[in-house]
Amino acid sequence: QLQLQESGPGLVKPSETLSLTCTVSGGSISSSTYYWGWIRQPPGKGLEWIGSIFHSGSTYYNPSLKSRVTISVDTSRNQFSLRLSSVTAADTAVYYCAVAELWGQGALVTVSS
Amino acid sequence: EIVLTQSPGTLSLSPGERATLSCRASQSVSSTYLAWYQQKPGQAPRLLIYGASSRATGIPDRFSGSGSGTDFTLTISRLEPEDFVVYYCQQYGSSPPGYTFGQGTKLEI
């Protein structure tokens, strides 16, 4: 069955760019009729949608993060990626990739010098 | 932009009792794209209900979902000790695409 797995550095310095990749297995990104998304959860807080991408490359971002977010897709590798620039401590969170109701296990990213 | 409001924020009950959690949308949403999640400390959210009323694989039948339009409910018929955690409702759409979450309901003993 379809599975998603996040990967990337667990520690990022302030002002730098956070980069994560979601690898999809058990199915093709290109065959989905849903948008593939990124969601995050700061420690002890609720869930926040970051943005979504369709396999064609069409993107849609949370307006509050839009100026710093780039989501891209690589259908040949069955992956989609997140880049969040100019990070601060407030960006410390568990980052999840998801499609519809199916989520990855999450990746903790800490922003600290 | 759709806003999901969960109530109550915290629900105090005892094992064996019935829990009713509410999720209200600021505008009508498709039941097809309304889900409920359970989150235990240190874990990823676990899908309980999708399509507003369908139980996910492996979810006990004491969990049920209902509702349509702007009002949705998660009911836990007989609370077990492991049910006292946080629950989120989620809506996702394709036009525009994106996810919206409620702020969560904490179920406490």
Side-chain angles (χ1 to χ4, degrees):
Chain A
Q1 70 276 22
L2 199 64
Q3 292 186 315
L4 287 71
Q5 179 66 57
E6 306 87 352
S7 60
L11 181 64
V12 181
K13 290 182 168 57
S15 80
E16 294 190 346
T17 296
L18 178 160
S19 296
L20 292 172
T21 295
C22 182
T23 300
V24 178
S25 59
S28 171
I29 279 185
S30 299
S31 65
S32 175
T33 58
Y34 293 111
Y35 276 70
W36 302 82
W38 286 98
I39 295 156
R40 70 179 183 178
Q41 185 174 36
K45 296 188 178 180
L47 298 160
E48 179 182 35
W49 169 67
I50 300 170
S52 300
I53 189 165
F54 199 59
H55 61 74
S56 63
S58 175
T59 53
Y60 191 70
Y61 300 133
N62 184 326
S64 68
L65 297 169
K66 185 175 182 178
S67 63
R68 299 194 291 130
V69 174
T70 302
I71 296 176
S72 58
V73 64
D74 185 339
T75 54
S76 65
R77 295 189 175 191
N78 226 28
Q79 297 176 330
F80 62 106
S81 298
L82 167 70
R83 288 174 57 86
L84 180 65
S85 63
S86 304
V87 297
T88 69
D91 295 309
T92 293
V94 176
Y95 287 76
Y96 298 97
C97 58
V99 61
E101 311 99 351
L102 181 64
W103 294 36
Q105 281 302 298
L108 174 62
V109 179
T110 301
V111 178
S112 174
S113 56
Chain B
E1 178 190 349
I2 296 172
V3 176
L4 298 180
T5 302
Q6 291 186 240
S7 61
T10 302
L11 183 58
S12 299
L13 292 169
S14 299
E17 291 191 302
R18 179 187 186 91
T20 302
L21 286 65
S22 173
C23 177
R24 178 161 291 176
S26 58
Q27 58 187 275
S28 183
V29 303
S30 170
S31 297
T32 302
Y33 306 123
L34 193 288
W36 288 93
Y37 294 82
Q38 176 192 68
Q39 188 173 35
K40 297 181 177 180
Q43 296 186 17
R46 173 196 183 195
L47 178 65
L48 297 175
I49 301 289
Y50 65 94
S53 60
S54 298
R55 268 190 303 277
T57 302
I59 301 303
D61 61 7
R62 65 178 184 275
F63 291 91
S64 62
S66 63
S68 64
T70 61
D71 290 300
F72 298 88
T73 300
L74 174 69
T75 301
I76 311 172
S77 59
R78 298 170 307 279
L79 287 165
E80 299 285 344
E82 63 267 26
D83 298 335
F84 290 89
V85 290
V86 179
Y87 295 83
Y88 293 96
C89 59
Q90 173 207 334
Q91 179 270 341
Y92 62 94
S94 59
S95 183
Y99 297 76
T100 306
F101 300 96
Q103 79 278 21
T105 290
K106 181 179 180 181
L107 195 50
E108 65 174 24
I109 296 179

